[in-house]
């Protein structure tokens, strides 16, 4: 196993690009994305794994970047909200007004995006299970549910 | 065309889904220094010593401050709070020292190296304890604190404010009552849990100007108070508010700004950033107020309310902040939206050793409504009357007077219509308690709401409109975008006035107190009404300027001109006219001569005919407008373990005029979700030493997607005569009636009165057991 001591250069693959960055072994991925790479789409909401605002994808799976170390991300494909362009779920979020303040939105979208890729026809129970890791304090979740349904339709070409 | 009543997409929607909208903490630069706070581990304690010597030696540390260095007291209404505790701490989590360092990590590490010794003092854990004769004083020197007139602190006690309502003759009212009910109610302090934690950045420029960036709902309040606290010329203070990641009232006061300015000052004016951790945001910064209350209500045999005697003891926590005004607002609206001829209310803001309270969505009304709506149901049971009918019978309407004896005019909403519609939506007639085949209980509960903004009598708003070369408009207003979609609402109002598409109206997202027209604060659900009025008046001002210039070119009287759809033209001869774009930046004749110059529309609004209230009786006219509505909840409960699922939450609100249906629904459904979460599962848990046990989002549980009910939302539109296109405020109101409605449904389900929040299955189970 590779061991990291003191500040180290990492090579991260983020949104399809190779990014070199100097990190301390105990820097979280969230910290490195935001403070060192200027990718501020992932948000700190609790830095304790409880709210999902910091969600990014690691090899297509949603992870909470506040409880992943940057060094753990080496060798994996990281996708952040900045790496999504006009995806069905983003369009659906706009069309269904699935946000108010928008602070939880990048985290929700990343999680939804991963879910839609993994289980395109997720039913309501599956949606509930996946999205229960994210908190939205503004909406009553109604529009988020609708946006997921709509994105399923858009992706299905309906 | 029509831009009112359509669900225009939020102006910032694309940026939000792309993760590109920047919130304050998203701005970073290499010249930033970072602050961190050392917080108290005692809820009430004398500070024996603070040792900062180790911290000062830590790498990267630029400054370490303690209360001794900062001889100030802040408070939006009552100046009781030092930026860092001086001599004693009054709540668990209170800041006692602060560090400035080159990086957040170094600042955090230095905080760990600070050593504080305390001597424990008696901890006051509730308003009742605080009001006992033998109670220790949390603020020994209250008599020295400056405060505004509307607030009445009682030095020598733990009472930071008492507001009195005396209407009619309470004694006679009860004498005439056939049925009287009396109950006590309570809920603990809790938190807003905005997903974005509070943050502030301050720097002091070479010429002494102070620039503050803050996650504030009230940049102008911050600017004004910065001037007042530090004796700085207010013109030298600039406060910038970016879009905010959720406010709900929690960011409406002066919070981190004063301290971060002092930190910047300690390092020679360099730019310092201070960001709350989630835990600090929950307990160190202020949260939602707690309450203990007693209600006694009398009614005639027919169910007509005769008298209400109400005692509210708000748990303000260690400092007064907005809580003193919340207790006042609760007194002003104390009866809920019901006609009560005889009212006696004492509303107290009481210091305890809990985290302190600030504004929270509903501002006094969600709290009072829980008390009133529960009491209404208890009364209905005693009268053997349907609880919805009892509400209908006593619903306040035009011509009635409020607890402050002010007359409700023709702008008053139609509460009865709201009750009727909500009853329909929730299926009230089909029965409010049904046992299903599998032994579950389905129950419904009702709760009405009303709310008026609690604000100074001179609350104002301003707007500026400028034009681009293509005739499109820029709208600039000092209301902060906190997720409510206000900028889009304003664009719709301007688009409607000019008869152009909403796309043709651009909005300025940030508020900058040196550039933006003055605006009181993004609070009290008054942004749409007051800001909207200011926008309309700015449009009118711009239109008259356009007409003035055009009248010279078209050689006709200004009065004969009309501006609509990007043109200015003669009313009866529409083909004679000019394009707005050719006039708005000055008209140029074919020979090159130019006239008129650019159009700058100026608009303003100031609340009309408001007064304070009489200190002995509460008589006065403090309310700009009342929004009325009716709500209901349906749930399904498993009687074996008292677990329950909320199936439906319904709300009908008289909004005056619907400006943007999607956003209105979002506000109302979101409000209901927040209130369900609060009433069902939120609230700080304290140990006997006053420590908050559940201070993170793992142990303090908010509503998640799987718990969300179906929302039923509808509107009544009785125009607010003085509102923009008849609209009135609706941002907070969705929360107000829900805690009462939920408690009513649960009380009906189990036949046990539930008067204390939160209503967790465990608490229901215990209460049922004790009741048997
Ligand atoms: S910030 Fe990562 S889960 Fe909350
Ligand atoms: S939109 Fe504000 S937290 Fe979800």
């Amino acid at each position: 196993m590779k061991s990291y001591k003191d500040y180290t250069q990492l090579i991260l693959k983020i949104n399809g690009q190779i990014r070199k960055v100097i990190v301390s072994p105990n820097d979280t991925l969230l910290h490195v994305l935001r403070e060192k790479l200027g990718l501020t789409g992932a948000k700190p909401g609790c830095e304790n794994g409880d709210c999902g605002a910091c969600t990014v994808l690691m090899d297509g799976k949603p992870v909470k970047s506040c409880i992943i170390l940057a060094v753990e991300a080496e060798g994996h494909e990281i996708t952040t909200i900045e790496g999504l362009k006009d995806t069905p779920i983003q369009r659906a979020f706009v069309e269904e007004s699935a946000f108010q303040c928008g602070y939880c939105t990048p985290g929700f979208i990343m999680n939804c995006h991963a879910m839609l890729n993994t289980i395109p026809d997720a039913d309501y129970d599956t949606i509930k299970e996946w999205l229960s890791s994210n908190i939205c304090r503004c909406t009553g979740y109604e529009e988020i549910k609708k946006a997921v349904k709509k994105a399923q339709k858009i992706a299905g070409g309906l | 065309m029509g831009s009112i009543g359509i669900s225009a997409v939020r102006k910032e929607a694309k940026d939000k889904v792309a993760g590109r909208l920047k919130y304050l903490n998203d701005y970073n630069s290499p010249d930033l220094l970072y602050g961190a706070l050392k917080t108290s581990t005692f809820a009430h304690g004398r500070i024996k010593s603070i040792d900062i010597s180790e911290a000062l030696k830590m790498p990267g540390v630029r400054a370490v401050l303690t209360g001794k260095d900062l001889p100030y007291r802040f408070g939006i209404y009552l100046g009781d709070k030092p930026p860092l505790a001086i001599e004693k701490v009054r709540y668990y989590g209170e800041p006692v020292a602060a560090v400035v360092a080159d990086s957040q990590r170094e600042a955090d590490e230095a905080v760990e190296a600070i050593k504080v010794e305390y001597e424990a003092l008696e901890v006051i854990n509730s308003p009742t304890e605080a009001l006992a004769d033998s109670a220790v004083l949390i603020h020994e020197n209250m008599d020295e604190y400056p405060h505004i007139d509307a607030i009445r602190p009682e030095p020598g006690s733990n009472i930071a404010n008492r507001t009195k309502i005396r209407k009619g003759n309470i004694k006679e009212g009860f004498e005439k009552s056939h049925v009287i009910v009396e109950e006590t109610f309570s809920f603990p302090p809790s938190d807003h849990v905005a997903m974005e934690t509070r943050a502030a950045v301050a720097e002091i420029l070479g010429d002494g100007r102070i620039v503050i960036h803050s996650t504030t709902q009230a940049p102008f309040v911050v600017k004004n108070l910065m001037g007042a606290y530090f004796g700085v010329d207010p013109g030298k203070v600039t406060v910038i508010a970016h879009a905010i990641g959720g406010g709900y009232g929690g960011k409406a006061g002066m919070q981190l700004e004063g301290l971060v300015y002092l930190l910047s000052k300690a390092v020679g004016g360099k730019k310092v950033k201070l960001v709350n951790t989630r835990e600090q945001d929950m307990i160190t910064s202020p949260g939602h107020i707690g309450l203990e209350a007693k209600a006694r209500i009398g009614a005639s045999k027919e169910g007509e309310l005769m008298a209400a005697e109400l005692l509210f003891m708000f748990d303000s926590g260690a400092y007064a902040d907005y809580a003193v005004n919340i207790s006042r607002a609760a007194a002003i609206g104390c009866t809920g939206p019901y006609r009560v001829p005889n009212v006696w209310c004492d509303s107290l803001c009481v210091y305890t050793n809990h985290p302190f309270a600030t504004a929270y969505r509903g501002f006094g009304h969600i709290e009072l409504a829980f008390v009133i709506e529960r009491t209404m149901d208890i009364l209905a049971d005693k009268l053997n009357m349907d609880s919805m009918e009892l509400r209908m019978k006593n619903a306040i309407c035009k011509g009635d007077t409020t607890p402050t004896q002010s007359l409700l005019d023709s702008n008053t909403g139609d509460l009865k219509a709201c009750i009727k519609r909500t009853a329909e939506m929730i299926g009230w007639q089909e029965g409010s308690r049904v046992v299903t085949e599998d032994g579950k209980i389905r129950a419904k509960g009702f709760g009405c709401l009303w709310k008026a903004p609690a604000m100074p009598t001179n609350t104002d708003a301003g707007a500026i409109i400028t034009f681009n070369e293509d005739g499109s408009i820029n709208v600039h207003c000092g209301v902060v975008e906190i997720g409510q979609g206000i900028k889009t609402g304003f664009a719709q109002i301007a688009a409607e006035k000019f008869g152009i598409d909403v796309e043709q109206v651009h909005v300025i997202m940030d508020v900058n107190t040196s550039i933006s027209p003055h605006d009181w604060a993004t609070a009290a659900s008054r942004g749409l009404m007051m800001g909207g009025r200011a926008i309309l008046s700015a449009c009118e001002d711009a239109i008259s300027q356009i007409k003035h210039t055009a009248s010279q070119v078209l050689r006709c009287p200004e009065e004969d001109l009309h501006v609509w759809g990007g043109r200015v033209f003669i009313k009866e001869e529409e083909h004679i006219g000019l394009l707005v774009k050719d006039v708005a930046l000055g008209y140029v004749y074919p020979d090159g001569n130019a006239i008129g110059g650019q159009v700058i529309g100026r608009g303003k609004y100031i609340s009309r005919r408001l007064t304070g209230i009489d200190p002995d009786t509460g008589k006065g006219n403090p309310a700009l407008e009342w929004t009325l509505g009716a709500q209901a909840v349906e749930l399904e409960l498993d009687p074996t373990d008292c677990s329950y699922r909320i199936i439906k939450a319904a709300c009908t609100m008289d909004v005056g005029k619907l400006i943007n249906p999607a956003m209105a629904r979002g506000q109302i459904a979101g409000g209901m979700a927040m209130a369900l979460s609060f009433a069902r599962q939120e609230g700080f848990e304290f140990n006997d030493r006053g420590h908050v046990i559940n201070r993170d989002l793992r142990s303090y549980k908010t509503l998640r997607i799987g718990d969300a009910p179906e929302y039923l939302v509808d509107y009544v539109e009785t125009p607010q005569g003085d509102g923009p296109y008849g609209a009135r405020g609706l941002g907070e109101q969705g929360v107000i009636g829900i805690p009462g409605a939920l408690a009513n449904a649960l009380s009906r389900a189990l036949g046990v009165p539930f008067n204390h929040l939160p209503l967790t299955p465990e608490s229901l189970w215990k209460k049922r057991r004790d009741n048997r």
Side-chain angles (χ1 to χ4, degrees), chain A residues 7 24-28 31 34-36 38 40-53 64 67 81-86 89-97 99-106 108-109 124 127-146 148, chain B residues 8-10 12-14 16-23 25-28 34 104-105 109 191-197 243-246 248 273 277-279 360-361 481-484 662-663 665-667 669-671 673-674 677-678 682 696-700 702-713:
Chain A
Y7 283 85
S24 159
N26 58 1
D27 278 339
T28 63
H31 175 81
R34 290 176 53 82
E35 318 276 325
K36 308 223 161 151
T40 55
K43 304 291 180 212
C46 66
E47 298 189 82
N48 193 41
D50 301 329
C51 76
K64 289 169 174 167
I67 47 171
I81 187 80
E82 289 87 350
L84 300 194
K85 294 269 149 25
D86 201 27
I89 190 67
Q90 285 169 300
R91 274 194 280 160
F93 258 63
V94 172
E95 285 166 22
E96 295 295 338
S97 308
F99 49 86
Q100 290 174 28
C101 79
Y103 198 82
C104 69
T105 310
F108 260 104
I109 287 183
Y124 181 54
I127 294 170
K128 252 176 23 185
E129 199 181 320
W130 275 69
L131 300 189
S132 281
S133 56
N134 295 56
I135 298 175
C136 175
R137 192 62 161 167
C138 295
T139 73
Y141 298 103
E142 172 179 57
E143 302 90 340
I144 296 175
K145 291 181 204 166
K146 282 196 196 149
V148 171
Chain B
V9 171
R10 280 167 190 276
E12 75 287 5
K14 291 263 167 64
K16 279 183 174 166
V17 297
R20 297 190 63 158
L21 190 85
K22 291 222 178 201
Y23 302 84
N25 191 22
D26 295 337
Y27 292 92
N28 283 310
Y34 296 80
Q104 190 67 57
R105 176 190 299 250
E109 282 168 359
D191 194 51
H192 308 79
V193 192
M195 293 317 299
E196 174 201 37
T197 63
I244 286 180
Y248 325 109
K273 186 183 207 180
T277 63
R278 172 56 59 191
E279 291 73 13
Y360 177 92
R361 201 173 196 173
E481 178 59 56
I482 64 173
Q484 81 284 52
M663 290 200 296
R665 186 184 172 93
Q667 284 297 306
M674 190 168 190
S677 185
F678 158 66
E682 293 182 34
D696 56 46
L697 296 180
R698 193 156 302 178
S699 50
Y700 184 108
T702 59
L703 193 88
R704 304 258 172 170
I705 195 165
D707 309 321
E710 179 189 346
Y711 303 98
L712 307 165
V713 179

